[in-house]
Amino acid sequence: MDLFLSSFINKIDKKGRVSLPSTFRNALPKSNKNEIILYKSIKSDSIEGCGTERLKEISKRINNLDYFSEDYDDFSTSVFSEIIPTNIDKEGRFLIPDELKKYAKIQNEVAFFGQGFFFQLWEPKAGILKREESRKRLLKEKKSLRTILTQQNK
Amino acid sequence: MDLFLSSFINKIDKKGRVSLPSTFRNALPKSNKNEIILYKSIKSDSIEGCGTERLKEISKRINNLDYFSEDYDDFSTSVFSEIIPTNIDKEGRFLIPDELKKYAKIQNEVAFFGQGFFFQLWEPKAGILKREESRKRLLKEKKSLRTILTQQNK
DNA sequence: TGGGATTATATGGGCGTCAATGGGTATATA
DNA sequence: TATATACCCATTGACGCCCATATAATCCCA
């Protein structure tokens, strides 16, 4: 399906390794399944990640901005300089860089949340809380999941 | 017909497998009859499911939202991280993830209720009760079934 | 149209494979 | 040399694939 879907909680071992959930590995681009890019989420205390293909798309978009604009500068700096390419070993595991781990307050376990075109890494409790709040907010505003899911596509 | 219709009660075996009713299997999209997506119903303690073909549409819609909006975040989280893609084996069975099973209080049996474009999984007694209540409510409010049933689609 | 034969569906169980995890050791880098 | 990281191997439990059976549905032909 090539989308990052559902949620998983995996352990970090003594060496700092975590398994990227198998379904997430499968969602990585065929061109490069041995590398992901990680960066601090702009919107929350979580880490975001995705395959290297997406980075190409993003850099194209930034490249289309006016070179002399503030936007170009801001995006270019905050995106490229903050991105951390990370290798996946033969068992499907990777290391979470210390700085990112601190940022997301992650210790022995990580929650993986599919976000479609990318995914997030959370300290499990914080992540689950956030997910519940999102759901509540949608319900409150009556933009129900079911509406989206059952809407007929034409 | 490609609609999920009528009701069935099937058993969950020792391994946790349940048969998706044969007519439901037939209602799955030709493009992918070996996978369904499951998610918690928002309105009730039941699980909802459908074929995978809508997922692309849904992700497009979400992708069209403003990435920096709260809505994007909420939808992305509530949809992508809560959707559970599930494989159907050659006998037409699938596993109900533990978390969903708990949510719907399902144990050894599941009631399948066709809902047209999707279907619901209920703990049998709760599901039957719910169906009776729906029916009573309809009659009470004089929105007779007959009205709906005779309103034919051109 | 009756009734046996064939097929489909729901269900049960064996077994191999894969995913997640743990740990030893080699290689690299500072 | 000390620290970090990659590769290799091992273990466990979950899951997928295969085969089997019983009951229900359908077919087909006399």
Side-chain angles (χ1 to χ4, degrees):
Chain A
M1 181 71 62
D2 274 22
L3 287 174
F4 299 104
L5 299 174
S6 65
S7 310
F8 307 87
I9 295 181
N10 286 346
K11 292 176 184 173
I12 298 180
D13 70 17
K14 291 175 189 172
K15 298 181 180 181
R17 300 173 297 189
V18 221
S19 290
L20 184 68
S22 147
T23 60
F24 284 16
R25 269 179 269 154
N26 293 332
L28 293 175
K30 293 165 295 299
S31 61
N32 186 2
K33 290 193 179 290
N34 300 317
E35 194 180 13
I36 54 176
I37 63 172
L38 298 174
Y39 49 93
K40 293 175 194 169
S41 168
I42 295 176
K43 299 188 262 186
S44 62
D45 291 348
S46 68
I47 302 166
E48 294 190 358
C50 61
T52 51
E53 283 292 320
R54 187 169 162 88
L55 181 57
K56 288 182 194 169
E57 287 167 27
I58 292 171
S59 50
K60 267 186 211 164
R61 277 183 222 155
I62 292 177
N63 206 37
N64 284 335
L65 295 173
D66 171 16
Y67 178 80
F68 292 102
S69 69
E70 229 176 21
D71 269 5
Y72 182 96
D73 222 47
D74 292 344
F75 278 113
S76 185
T77 301
S78 61
V79 172
F80 293 121
S81 75
E82 300 264 11
I83 277 182
I84 305 180
T86 308
N87 292 322
I88 297 177
D89 74 14
K90 296 204 170 175
E91 282 75 35
R93 293 175 289 195
F94 66 99
L95 296 169
I96 306 176
D98 276 343
E99 199 196 331
L100 297 184
K101 233 192 266 184
K102 271 184 210 161
Y103 179 75
K105 300 185 181 65
I106 289 169
Q107 297 196 313
N108 303 315
E109 288 191 325
V110 189
F112 292 81
F113 288 83
Q115 297 282 335
F117 307 99
F118 61 98
F119 54 87
Q120 290 179 337
L121 309 190
W122 284 82
E123 188 286 313
K125 285 183 186 172
I128 290 167
L129 199 68
K130 198 271 176 177
R131 188 173 61 179
E132 283 169 2
E133 279 167 3
S134 285
R135 199 182 168 91
K136 280 180 196 162
R137 198 154 44 226
L138 286 184
L139 266 180
K140 202 172 164 187
E141 297 174 14
K142 297 185 178 162
K143 303 165 187 166
S144 84
L145 264 185
R146 196 171 141 269
T147 304
I148 299 186
L149 289 169
T150 60
Q151 222 171 40
Q152 275 302 291
N153 41 313
K154 310 214 159 172
Chain B
M1 176 75 71
D2 274 23
L3 286 175
F4 300 104
L5 301 173
S6 51
S7 313
F8 308 87
I9 295 181
N10 286 346
K11 291 176 185 173
I12 298 180
D13 70 17
K14 290 176 190 172
K15 295 184 179 181
R17 300 172 297 190
V18 220
S19 290
L20 184 68
S22 147
T23 60
F24 284 17
R25 268 179 270 155
N26 293 332
L28 293 175
K30 295 163 295 299
S31 61
N32 186 4
K33 291 194 178 289
N34 301 317
E35 196 179 15
I36 54 176
I37 63 174
L38 299 175
Y39 49 93
K40 294 175 193 169
S41 167
I42 291 218
K43 299 171 78 174
S44 62
D45 290 348
S46 69
I47 303 165
E48 294 187 359
C50 62
T52 54
E53 100 281 8
R54 279 211 181 77
L55 206 44
K56 288 176 190 172
E57 273 299 316
I58 294 165
S59 52
K60 269 186 212 163
R61 275 179 225 144
I62 293 177
N63 205 33
N64 284 336
L65 296 173
D66 171 16
Y67 177 80
F68 292 101
S69 68
E70 203 178 43
D71 268 7
Y72 181 97
D73 217 48
D74 289 342
F75 276 115
S76 180
T77 298
S78 298
V79 174
F80 292 126
S81 81
E82 305 246 23
I83 278 183
I84 304 182
T86 308
N87 292 322
I88 297 177
D89 72 15
K90 295 202 172 176
E91 283 74 36
R93 294 173 289 193
F94 67 99
L95 295 171
I96 306 176
D98 276 342
E99 202 195 329
L100 296 185
K101 235 192 263 183
K102 272 184 210 161
Y103 180 75
K105 300 185 182 64
I106 290 169
Q107 297 196 314
N108 304 315
E109 287 191 325
V110 189
F112 292 82
F113 289 87
Q115 299 280 335
F117 301 109
F118 63 100
F119 55 86
Q120 291 180 338
L121 309 190
W122 285 81
E123 189 286 314
K125 285 182 187 173
I128 290 167
L129 198 69
K130 199 270 176 179
R131 186 170 62 180
E132 283 170 2
E133 279 167 3
S134 289
R135 205 183 171 85
K136 278 180 196 163
R137 200 155 40 229
L138 276 184
L139 292 175
K140 199 174 165 188
E141 296 175 14
K142 299 182 180 160
K143 302 170 193 162
S144 81
L145 277 178
R146 209 174 126 260
T147 306
I148 298 179
L149 289 171
T150 55
Q151 215 170 43
Q152 274 313 312
N153 40 319
K154 41 264 141 137

PDB file of all heavy atoms in Angstrom, chain B residues 13-15 17 22 25 91 93, chain C residues 8-15:
ATOM      1  N   ASP B  13     -11.569 -18.850  16.240  1.00  0.00           N
ATOM      2  CA  ASP B  13     -10.934 -20.106  16.661  1.00  0.00           C
ATOM      3  C   ASP B  13      -9.768 -19.849  17.628  1.00  0.00           C
ATOM      4  O   ASP B  13      -9.483 -18.716  18.001  1.00  0.00           O
ATOM      5  CB  ASP B  13     -10.507 -20.936  15.445  1.00  0.00           C
ATOM      6  CG  ASP B  13      -9.336 -20.315  14.695  1.00  0.00           C
ATOM      7  OD1 ASP B  13      -8.653 -19.449  15.252  1.00  0.00           O
ATOM      8  OD2 ASP B  13      -9.108 -20.705  13.539  1.00  0.00           O
ATOM      9  N   LYS B  14      -9.130 -20.943  18.049  1.00  0.00           N
ATOM     10  CA  LYS B  14      -8.051 -20.842  19.044  1.00  0.00           C
ATOM     11  C   LYS B  14      -6.946 -19.886  18.626  1.00  0.00           C
ATOM     12  O   LYS B  14      -6.298 -19.263  19.457  1.00  0.00           O
ATOM     13  CB  LYS B  14      -7.423 -22.230  19.269  1.00  0.00           C
ATOM     14  CG  LYS B  14      -8.314 -23.200  19.985  1.00  0.00           C
ATOM     15  CD  LYS B  14      -7.631 -24.561  20.051  1.00  0.00           C
ATOM     16  CE  LYS B  14      -8.607 -25.627  20.556  1.00  0.00           C
ATOM     17  NZ  LYS B  14      -8.011 -26.986  20.446  1.00  0.00           N
ATOM     18  N   LYS B  15      -6.711 -19.825  17.352  1.00  0.00           N
ATOM     19  CA  LYS B  15      -5.651 -18.950  16.856  1.00  0.00           C
ATOM     20  C   LYS B  15      -6.117 -17.504  16.678  1.00  0.00           C
ATOM     21  O   LYS B  15      -5.344 -16.647  16.257  1.00  0.00           O
ATOM     22  CB  LYS B  15      -5.126 -19.463  15.518  1.00  0.00           C
ATOM     23  CG  LYS B  15      -4.435 -20.802  15.580  1.00  0.00           C
ATOM     24  CD  LYS B  15      -3.889 -21.135  14.209  1.00  0.00           C
ATOM     25  CE  LYS B  15      -3.156 -22.464  14.208  1.00  0.00           C
ATOM     26  NZ  LYS B  15      -2.622 -22.758  12.857  1.00  0.00           N
ATOM     27  N   ARG B  17      -8.597 -16.625  14.618  1.00  0.00           N
ATOM     28  CA  ARG B  17      -9.083 -16.362  13.260  1.00  0.00           C
ATOM     29  C   ARG B  17     -10.606 -16.363  13.155  1.00  0.00           C
ATOM     30  O   ARG B  17     -11.277 -17.122  13.828  1.00  0.00           O
ATOM     31  CB  ARG B  17      -8.532 -17.427  12.306  1.00  0.00           C
ATOM     32  CG  ARG B  17      -7.035 -17.477  12.239  1.00  0.00           C
ATOM     33  CD  ARG B  17      -6.568 -18.669  11.421  1.00  0.00           C
ATOM     34  NE  ARG B  17      -6.969 -19.946  12.023  1.00  0.00           N
ATOM     35  CZ  ARG B  17      -6.514 -21.124  11.594  1.00  0.00           C
ATOM     36  NH1 ARG B  17      -5.685 -21.184  10.575  1.00  0.00           N
ATOM     37  NH2 ARG B  17      -6.898 -22.222  12.200  1.00  0.00           N
ATOM     38  N   SER B  22     -18.635 -14.920   3.350  1.00  0.00           N
ATOM     39  CA  SER B  22     -18.326 -15.053   1.933  1.00  0.00           C
ATOM     40  C   SER B  22     -18.891 -13.910   1.093  1.00  0.00           C
ATOM     41  O   SER B  22     -18.221 -13.395   0.180  1.00  0.00           O
ATOM     42  CB  SER B  22     -18.853 -16.404   1.462  1.00  0.00           C
ATOM     43  OG  SER B  22     -19.278 -16.340   0.153  1.00  0.00           O
ATOM     44  N   ARG B  25     -16.709 -10.991   1.370  1.00  0.00           N
ATOM     45  CA  ARG B  25     -15.493 -11.152   0.561  1.00  0.00           C
ATOM     46  C   ARG B  25     -15.757 -10.769  -0.894  1.00  0.00           C
ATOM     47  O   ARG B  25     -14.949 -10.109  -1.538  1.00  0.00           O
ATOM     48  CB  ARG B  25     -15.008 -12.603   0.628  1.00  0.00           C
ATOM     49  CG  ARG B  25     -14.007 -12.853   1.737  1.00  0.00           C
ATOM     50  CD  ARG B  25     -13.624 -14.309   1.735  1.00  0.00           C
ATOM     51  NE  ARG B  25     -14.514 -15.098   2.599  1.00  0.00           N
ATOM     52  CZ  ARG B  25     -14.743 -16.382   2.457  1.00  0.00           C
ATOM     53  NH1 ARG B  25     -14.167 -17.048   1.459  1.00  0.00           N
ATOM     54  NH2 ARG B  25     -15.531 -17.020   3.295  1.00  0.00           N
ATOM     55  N   GLU B  91      -8.370 -19.143   3.122  1.00  0.00           N
ATOM     56  CA  GLU B  91      -9.675 -19.652   3.509  1.00  0.00           C
ATOM     57  C   GLU B  91     -10.663 -18.521   3.779  1.00  0.00           C
ATOM     58  O   GLU B  91     -11.801 -18.759   4.170  1.00  0.00           O
ATOM     59  CB  GLU B  91      -9.548 -20.541   4.752  1.00  0.00           C
ATOM     60  CG  GLU B  91      -9.007 -21.938   4.461  1.00  0.00           C
ATOM     61  CD  GLU B  91      -7.529 -21.905   4.162  1.00  0.00           C
ATOM     62  OE1 GLU B  91      -6.829 -21.089   4.785  1.00  0.00           O
ATOM     63  OE2 GLU B  91      -7.067 -22.665   3.298  1.00  0.00           O
ATOM     64  N   ARG B  93     -10.154 -16.074   6.070  1.00  0.00           N
ATOM     65  CA  ARG B  93     -10.159 -15.661   7.481  1.00  0.00           C
ATOM     66  C   ARG B  93      -9.178 -14.534   7.749  1.00  0.00           C
ATOM     67  O   ARG B  93      -8.249 -14.309   6.997  1.00  0.00           O
ATOM     68  CB  ARG B  93      -9.788 -16.857   8.367  1.00  0.00           C
ATOM     69  CG  ARG B  93     -10.806 -17.952   8.329  1.00  0.00           C
ATOM     70  CD  ARG B  93     -10.310 -19.156   9.077  1.00  0.00           C
ATOM     71  NE  ARG B  93      -9.229 -19.844   8.391  1.00  0.00           N
ATOM     72  CZ  ARG B  93      -8.802 -21.053   8.711  1.00  0.00           C
ATOM     73  NH1 ARG B  93      -9.333 -21.681   9.735  1.00  0.00           N
ATOM     74  NH2 ARG B  93      -7.846 -21.621   8.043  1.00  0.00           N
TER      75      ARG B  93
ATOM     76  P    DA C   8     -16.731 -24.266  -6.064  1.00  0.00           P
ATOM     77  OP1  DA C   8     -16.675 -23.136  -7.005  1.00  0.00           O
ATOM     78  OP2  DA C   8     -15.507 -25.003  -5.692  1.00  0.00           O
ATOM     79  O5'  DA C   8     -17.434 -23.761  -4.735  1.00  0.00           O
ATOM     80  C5'  DA C   8     -18.782 -23.310  -4.770  1.00  0.00           C
ATOM     81  C4'  DA C   8     -19.196 -22.833  -3.393  1.00  0.00           C
ATOM     82  O4'  DA C   8     -19.390 -23.980  -2.528  1.00  0.00           O
ATOM     83  C3'  DA C   8     -18.170 -21.949  -2.705  1.00  0.00           C
ATOM     84  O3'  DA C   8     -18.880 -20.893  -2.058  1.00  0.00           O
ATOM     85  C2'  DA C   8     -17.478 -22.878  -1.705  1.00  0.00           C
ATOM     86  C1'  DA C   8     -18.591 -23.873  -1.367  1.00  0.00           C
ATOM     87  N9   DA C   8     -18.123 -25.225  -1.051  1.00  0.00           N
ATOM     88  C8   DA C   8     -17.259 -25.996  -1.770  1.00  0.00           C
ATOM     89  N7   DA C   8     -17.045 -27.185  -1.255  1.00  0.00           N
ATOM     90  C5   DA C   8     -17.836 -27.195  -0.115  1.00  0.00           C
ATOM     91  C6   DA C   8     -18.054 -28.167   0.878  1.00  0.00           C
ATOM     92  N6   DA C   8     -17.487 -29.376   0.871  1.00  0.00           N
ATOM     93  N1   DA C   8     -18.903 -27.856   1.887  1.00  0.00           N
ATOM     94  C2   DA C   8     -19.483 -26.642   1.893  1.00  0.00           C
ATOM     95  N3   DA C   8     -19.349 -25.647   1.017  1.00  0.00           N
ATOM     96  C4   DA C   8     -18.505 -25.994   0.028  1.00  0.00           C
ATOM     97  P    DT C   9     -18.114 -19.716  -1.341  1.00  0.00           P
ATOM     98  OP1  DT C   9     -18.864 -18.492  -1.676  1.00  0.00           O
ATOM     99  OP2  DT C   9     -16.668 -19.841  -1.636  1.00  0.00           O
ATOM    100  O5'  DT C   9     -18.324 -20.016   0.201  1.00  0.00           O
ATOM    101  C5'  DT C   9     -19.649 -20.219   0.714  1.00  0.00           C
ATOM    102  C4'  DT C   9     -19.538 -20.703   2.140  1.00  0.00           C
ATOM    103  O4'  DT C   9     -19.052 -22.061   2.137  1.00  0.00           O
ATOM    104  C3'  DT C   9     -18.571 -19.894   3.010  1.00  0.00           C
ATOM    105  O3'  DT C   9     -19.296 -19.353   4.092  1.00  0.00           O
ATOM    106  C2'  DT C   9     -17.507 -20.912   3.439  1.00  0.00           C
ATOM    107  C1'  DT C   9     -18.217 -22.238   3.247  1.00  0.00           C
ATOM    108  N1   DT C   9     -17.357 -23.411   2.940  1.00  0.00           N
ATOM    109  C2   DT C   9     -17.469 -24.543   3.713  1.00  0.00           C
ATOM    110  O2   DT C   9     -18.236 -24.622   4.660  1.00  0.00           O
ATOM    111  N3   DT C   9     -16.641 -25.586   3.351  1.00  0.00           N
ATOM    112  C4   DT C   9     -15.734 -25.605   2.310  1.00  0.00           C
ATOM    113  O4   DT C   9     -15.050 -26.600   2.080  1.00  0.00           O
ATOM    114  C5   DT C   9     -15.670 -24.386   1.523  1.00  0.00           C
ATOM    115  C7   DT C   9     -14.718 -24.300   0.376  1.00  0.00           C
ATOM    116  C6   DT C   9     -16.475 -23.361   1.874  1.00  0.00           C
ATOM    117  P    DA C  10     -18.622 -18.357   5.117  1.00  0.00           P
ATOM    118  OP1  DA C  10     -19.640 -17.381   5.524  1.00  0.00           O
ATOM    119  OP2  DA C  10     -17.337 -17.898   4.564  1.00  0.00           O
ATOM    120  O5'  DA C  10     -18.320 -19.317   6.358  1.00  0.00           O
ATOM    121  C5'  DA C  10     -19.406 -19.978   6.994  1.00  0.00           C
ATOM    122  C4'  DA C  10     -18.874 -20.991   7.987  1.00  0.00           C
ATOM    123  O4'  DA C  10     -18.153 -22.033   7.289  1.00  0.00           O
ATOM    124  C3'  DA C  10     -17.903 -20.428   9.025  1.00  0.00           C
ATOM    125  O3'  DA C  10     -18.340 -20.850  10.314  1.00  0.00           O
ATOM    126  C2'  DA C  10     -16.547 -21.030   8.645  1.00  0.00           C
ATOM    127  C1'  DA C  10     -16.956 -22.327   7.987  1.00  0.00           C
ATOM    128  N9   DA C  10     -16.013 -22.841   6.991  1.00  0.00           N
ATOM    129  C8   DA C  10     -15.423 -22.153   5.972  1.00  0.00           C
ATOM    130  N7   DA C  10     -14.612 -22.883   5.231  1.00  0.00           N
ATOM    131  C5   DA C  10     -14.684 -24.144   5.802  1.00  0.00           C
ATOM    132  C6   DA C  10     -14.065 -25.370   5.491  1.00  0.00           C
ATOM    133  N6   DA C  10     -13.213 -25.519   4.466  1.00  0.00           N
ATOM    134  N1   DA C  10     -14.358 -26.433   6.265  1.00  0.00           N
ATOM    135  C2   DA C  10     -15.203 -26.275   7.286  1.00  0.00           C
ATOM    136  N3   DA C  10     -15.854 -25.181   7.679  1.00  0.00           N
ATOM    137  C4   DA C  10     -15.542 -24.142   6.890  1.00  0.00           C
ATOM    138  P    DT C  11     -17.576 -20.376  11.614  1.00  0.00           P
ATOM    139  OP1  DT C  11     -18.558 -20.447  12.715  1.00  0.00           O
ATOM    140  OP2  DT C  11     -16.852 -19.131  11.306  1.00  0.00           O
ATOM    141  O5'  DT C  11     -16.489 -21.527  11.848  1.00  0.00           O
ATOM    142  C5'  DT C  11     -16.918 -22.822  12.201  1.00  0.00           C
ATOM    143  C4'  DT C  11     -15.755 -23.782  12.148  1.00  0.00           C
ATOM    144  O4'  DT C  11     -15.209 -23.845  10.816  1.00  0.00           O
ATOM    145  C3'  DT C  11     -14.557 -23.441  13.050  1.00  0.00           C
ATOM    146  O3'  DT C  11     -14.576 -24.294  14.162  1.00  0.00           O
ATOM    147  C2'  DT C  11     -13.334 -23.669  12.166  1.00  0.00           C
ATOM    148  C1'  DT C  11     -13.921 -24.380  10.959  1.00  0.00           C
ATOM    149  N1   DT C  11     -13.169 -24.151   9.704  1.00  0.00           N
ATOM    150  C2   DT C  11     -12.536 -25.225   9.133  1.00  0.00           C
ATOM    151  O2   DT C  11     -12.557 -26.358   9.616  1.00  0.00           O
ATOM    152  N3   DT C  11     -11.849 -24.948   7.979  1.00  0.00           N
ATOM    153  C4   DT C  11     -11.747 -23.718   7.356  1.00  0.00           C
ATOM    154  O4   DT C  11     -11.110 -23.587   6.323  1.00  0.00           O
ATOM    155  C5   DT C  11     -12.443 -22.628   7.999  1.00  0.00           C
ATOM    156  C7   DT C  11     -12.398 -21.260   7.413  1.00  0.00           C
ATOM    157  C6   DT C  11     -13.116 -22.897   9.134  1.00  0.00           C
ATOM    158  P    DG C  12     -13.518 -24.117  15.349  1.00  0.00           P
ATOM    159  OP1  DG C  12     -14.241 -24.493  16.565  1.00  0.00           O
ATOM    160  OP2  DG C  12     -12.873 -22.802  15.222  1.00  0.00           O
ATOM    161  O5'  DG C  12     -12.409 -25.227  15.021  1.00  0.00           O
ATOM    162  C5'  DG C  12     -12.797 -26.537  14.663  1.00  0.00           C
ATOM    163  C4'  DG C  12     -11.572 -27.396  14.395  1.00  0.00           C
ATOM    164  O4'  DG C  12     -11.184 -27.233  12.996  1.00  0.00           O
ATOM    165  C3'  DG C  12     -10.333 -27.041  15.215  1.00  0.00           C
ATOM    166  O3'  DG C  12      -9.788 -28.223  15.791  1.00  0.00           O
ATOM    167  C2'  DG C  12      -9.365 -26.425  14.221  1.00  0.00           C
ATOM    168  C1'  DG C  12      -9.792 -27.083  12.913  1.00  0.00           C
ATOM    169  N9   DG C  12      -9.513 -26.251  11.752  1.00  0.00           N
ATOM    170  C8   DG C  12      -9.962 -24.962  11.525  1.00  0.00           C
ATOM    171  N7   DG C  12      -9.540 -24.468  10.396  1.00  0.00           N
ATOM    172  C5   DG C  12      -8.768 -25.480   9.843  1.00  0.00           C
ATOM    173  C6   DG C  12      -8.045 -25.514   8.623  1.00  0.00           C
ATOM    174  O6   DG C  12      -7.952 -24.629   7.768  1.00  0.00           O
ATOM    175  N1   DG C  12      -7.392 -26.733   8.446  1.00  0.00           N
ATOM    176  C2   DG C  12      -7.432 -27.783   9.330  1.00  0.00           C
ATOM    177  N2   DG C  12      -6.746 -28.869   9.004  1.00  0.00           N
ATOM    178  N3   DG C  12      -8.101 -27.770  10.474  1.00  0.00           N
ATOM    179  C4   DG C  12      -8.747 -26.584  10.666  1.00  0.00           C
ATOM    180  P    DG C  13      -8.625 -28.170  16.906  1.00  0.00           P
ATOM    181  OP1  DG C  13      -8.837 -29.307  17.810  1.00  0.00           O
ATOM    182  OP2  DG C  13      -8.538 -26.790  17.418  1.00  0.00           O
ATOM    183  O5'  DG C  13      -7.310 -28.456  16.042  1.00  0.00           O
ATOM    184  C5'  DG C  13      -7.181 -29.699  15.366  1.00  0.00           C
ATOM    185  C4'  DG C  13      -5.928 -29.701  14.530  1.00  0.00           C
ATOM    186  O4'  DG C  13      -6.089 -28.810  13.401  1.00  0.00           O
ATOM    187  C3'  DG C  13      -4.649 -29.233  15.250  1.00  0.00           C
ATOM    188  O3'  DG C  13      -3.626 -30.175  14.973  1.00  0.00           O
ATOM    189  C2'  DG C  13      -4.351 -27.883  14.630  1.00  0.00           C
ATOM    190  C1'  DG C  13      -4.879 -28.113  13.217  1.00  0.00           C
ATOM    191  N9   DG C  13      -5.148 -26.895  12.475  1.00  0.00           N
ATOM    192  C8   DG C  13      -5.904 -25.815  12.869  1.00  0.00           C
ATOM    193  N7   DG C  13      -5.956 -24.865  11.976  1.00  0.00           N
ATOM    194  C5   DG C  13      -5.183 -25.346  10.927  1.00  0.00           C
ATOM    195  C6   DG C  13      -4.862 -24.763   9.684  1.00  0.00           C
ATOM    196  O6   DG C  13      -5.215 -23.657   9.245  1.00  0.00           O
ATOM    197  N1   DG C  13      -4.054 -25.589   8.906  1.00  0.00           N
ATOM    198  C2   DG C  13      -3.610 -26.832   9.298  1.00  0.00           C
ATOM    199  N2   DG C  13      -2.838 -27.487   8.429  1.00  0.00           N
ATOM    200  N3   DG C  13      -3.893 -27.393  10.457  1.00  0.00           N
ATOM    201  C4   DG C  13      -4.685 -26.593  11.220  1.00  0.00           C
ATOM    202  P    DG C  14      -2.237 -30.149  15.775  1.00  0.00           P
ATOM    203  OP1  DG C  14      -2.144 -31.398  16.560  1.00  0.00           O
ATOM    204  OP2  DG C  14      -2.074 -28.833  16.429  1.00  0.00           O
ATOM    205  O5'  DG C  14      -1.197 -30.249  14.566  1.00  0.00           O
ATOM    206  C5'  DG C  14      -1.391 -31.224  13.548  1.00  0.00           C
ATOM    207  C4'  DG C  14      -0.352 -31.072  12.452  1.00  0.00           C
ATOM    208  O4'  DG C  14      -0.695 -29.927  11.615  1.00  0.00           O
ATOM    209  C3'  DG C  14       1.075 -30.814  12.935  1.00  0.00           C
ATOM    210  O3'  DG C  14       1.985 -31.485  12.059  1.00  0.00           O
ATOM    211  C2'  DG C  14       1.225 -29.300  12.856  1.00  0.00           C
ATOM    212  C1'  DG C  14       0.335 -28.952  11.661  1.00  0.00           C
ATOM    213  N9   DG C  14      -0.322 -27.651  11.763  1.00  0.00           N
ATOM    214  C8   DG C  14      -1.059 -27.162  12.816  1.00  0.00           C
ATOM    215  N7   DG C  14      -1.544 -25.970  12.615  1.00  0.00           N
ATOM    216  C5   DG C  14      -1.098 -25.637  11.348  1.00  0.00           C
ATOM    217  C6   DG C  14      -1.302 -24.459  10.591  1.00  0.00           C
ATOM    218  O6   DG C  14      -1.946 -23.446  10.888  1.00  0.00           O
ATOM    219  N1   DG C  14      -0.658 -24.528   9.343  1.00  0.00           N
ATOM    220  C2   DG C  14       0.072 -25.607   8.902  1.00  0.00           C
ATOM    221  N2   DG C  14       0.610 -25.496   7.684  1.00  0.00           N
ATOM    222  N3   DG C  14       0.275 -26.709   9.599  1.00  0.00           N
ATOM    223  C4   DG C  14      -0.343 -26.655  10.808  1.00  0.00           C
ATOM    224  P    DC C  15       3.563 -31.551  12.429  1.00  0.00           P
ATOM    225  OP1  DC C  15       4.093 -32.800  11.831  1.00  0.00           O
ATOM    226  OP2  DC C  15       3.754 -31.258  13.875  1.00  0.00           O
ATOM    227  O5'  DC C  15       4.146 -30.331  11.597  1.00  0.00           O
ATOM    228  C5'  DC C  15       3.829 -30.205  10.211  1.00  0.00           C
ATOM    229  C4'  DC C  15       4.416 -28.905   9.676  1.00  0.00           C
ATOM    230  O4'  DC C  15       3.524 -27.803   9.964  1.00  0.00           O
ATOM    231  C3'  DC C  15       5.775 -28.515  10.282  1.00  0.00           C
ATOM    232  O3'  DC C  15       6.619 -28.107   9.228  1.00  0.00           O
ATOM    233  C2'  DC C  15       5.421 -27.353  11.205  1.00  0.00           C
ATOM    234  C1'  DC C  15       4.299 -26.710  10.412  1.00  0.00           C
ATOM    235  N1   DC C  15       3.416 -25.798  11.193  1.00  0.00           N
ATOM    236  C2   DC C  15       3.011 -24.601  10.598  1.00  0.00           C
ATOM    237  O2   DC C  15       3.399 -24.344   9.457  1.00  0.00           O
ATOM    238  N3   DC C  15       2.206 -23.764  11.301  1.00  0.00           N
ATOM    239  C4   DC C  15       1.813 -24.091  12.534  1.00  0.00           C
ATOM    240  N4   DC C  15       1.008 -23.243  13.180  1.00  0.00           N
ATOM    241  C5   DC C  15       2.218 -25.311  13.150  1.00  0.00           C
ATOM    242  C6   DC C  15       3.016 -26.127  12.456  1.00  0.00           C
TER     243       DC C  15
END
